[in-house]
Amino acid sequence: MDFIGVISDSLQKKYTESRARDAEKLALSLEQGQFEVLSRVGHQLRGNAVTFGHEDLAELGRKMERAAEARSLSDGEDCLYALKAWVQERLGVGELG
């Protein structure tokens, strides 16, 4: 077993779990019309997702930033749905809250 691979898998899982927490924060903030959380999470994703090899998630981060700038609840909810689906696919869990 490759030691570096184990660390990488562990870090990937922690990264994905952090994105699950982001999804929970986003759900609450969108219910309250707090687009700054959508913008912040999107900005963070855009910056850090590529480091973990997730270009698709970086693009989602860009979409979140645009939705926040436009203050579009429907686009924000679409981004939230996409983030939840991304997390579910990687963690192998059922529907997130």
Side-chain angles (χ1 to χ4, degrees), residues 4-65:
I4 293 173
V6 172
I7 293 172
S8 179
D9 289 347
S10 174
L11 288 175
Q12 286 286 357
K13 184 175 182 192
K14 287 181 181 184
Y15 182 79
T16 302
E17 290 168 346
S18 291
R19 303 301 62 85
R21 288 188 294 276
D22 285 344
E24 292 172 6
K25 287 186 280 190
L26 281 176
L28 290 173
S29 67
L30 287 173
E31 286 177 9
Q32 299 169 358
Q34 297 175 343
F35 290 96
E36 61 276 359
V37 175
L38 181 63
S39 178
R40 182 178 44 77
V41 170
H43 182 77
Q44 290 171 342
L45 288 180
R46 190 171 52 87
N48 65 33
V50 173
T51 301
F52 284 86
H54 304 299
E55 290 81 9
D56 56 336
L57 197 56
E59 177 57 32
L60 179 59
R62 283 187 278 283
K63 290 178 182 178
M64 287 179 179
E65 287 182 306

Side-chain angles (χ1 to χ4, degrees), residues 19 23 26 45 56-57 59-61 63-64 75-90 96:
R19 303 301 62 85
L26 281 176
L45 288 180
D56 56 336
L57 197 56
E59 177 57 32
L60 179 59
K63 290 178 182 178
M64 287 179 179
D75 289 348
E77 288 172 340
D78 289 347
C79 290
L80 173 61
Y81 177 79
L83 180 58
K84 286 181 176 183
W86 186 91
V87 169
Q88 290 168 1
E89 180 181 316
R90 278 147 189 85
L96 296 175

